[in-house]
Amino acid sequence: MSRTTIVSIATAVLLATLAGWSQSWAGDLKITEMAVTTKIVKGNPIDSVRRISSTSVKALYCFTRFSAPEDTNTTIKQIWYINDEAVAEYELPVKGAHWRTYSRKVVEKGLSGDWRCDAVDSEGKVLKSVTFKMN
């Protein structure tokens, strides 16, 4: 075998290994906490909404805390739904072993129904969902 062929094979094996490594890192992304809340204070949710009136708040937040490998640098999407219809989508970074993030959804009066917010990884897999009712 020529030196060029050996280098080419070694490069291909290395790239395939690194590709598998990054995929496993994305798979190691774990949600340790997720809540829809009325307010974020000092980077943390102050409550966890299960039922709320659309006239009592102007916005809601979907807070998500992650545990991941140290060198994690990826994104997730938070998708907000009303009665199974997507009404908002936010792409958020996840960088590091202990990361937290949130999206903010403005609440208009009269938007009653069954709500949920999904956290979706970069491959489209739902990692976790939070549901609540709005009157």
Side-chain angles (χ1 to χ4, degrees):
M1 236 187 262
S2 74
R3 178 179 234 174
T4 306
T5 303
I6 292 171
V7 170
S8 296
I9 291 171
T11 302
V13 169
L14 179 61
L15 290 174
T17 302
L18 290 175
W21 220 7
S22 67
Q23 286 178 345
S24 70
W25 284 9
D28 290 340
L29 187 65
K30 303 288 184 232
I31 294 177
T32 59
E33 181 181 2
M34 186 168 167
V36 170
T37 183
T38 56
K39 194 172 185 181
I40 303 284
V41 175
K42 294 184 180 179
N44 293 299
I46 64 161
D47 56 12
S48 182
V49 172
R50 298 288 178 239
R51 181 178 217 94
I52 197 161
S53 169
S54 64
T55 59
S56 68
V57 292
K58 294 184 182 195
L60 290 172
Y61 303 82
C62 185
F63 171 87
T64 309
R65 185 184 312 269
F66 298 90
S67 173
E70 191 66 40
D71 293 338
T72 298
N73 186 1
T74 188
T75 60
I76 59 124
K77 287 184 182 175
Q78 287 186 342
I79 307 171
W80 291 77
Y81 294 87
I82 303 173
N83 299 320
D84 291 325
E85 181 182 334
V87 293
E89 183 175 306
Y90 303 91
E91 187 166 334
L92 305 166
V94 179
K95 299 179 180 184
H98 304 286
W99 193 262
R100 55 190 171 188
T101 190
Y102 61 88
S103 61
R104 179 178 183 266
K105 175 70 180 101
V106 173
V107 176
E108 298 171 20
K109 293 178 183 176
L111 288 180
S112 62
D114 294 321
W115 283 65
R116 89 173 183 270
C117 188
D118 291 348
V120 180
D121 70 12
S122 58
E123 296 172 357
K125 177 183 165 198
V126 176
L127 300 171
K128 191 164 186 168
S129 293
V130 175
T131 60
F132 63 99
K133 287 194 176 286
M134 188 171 304
N135 302 334

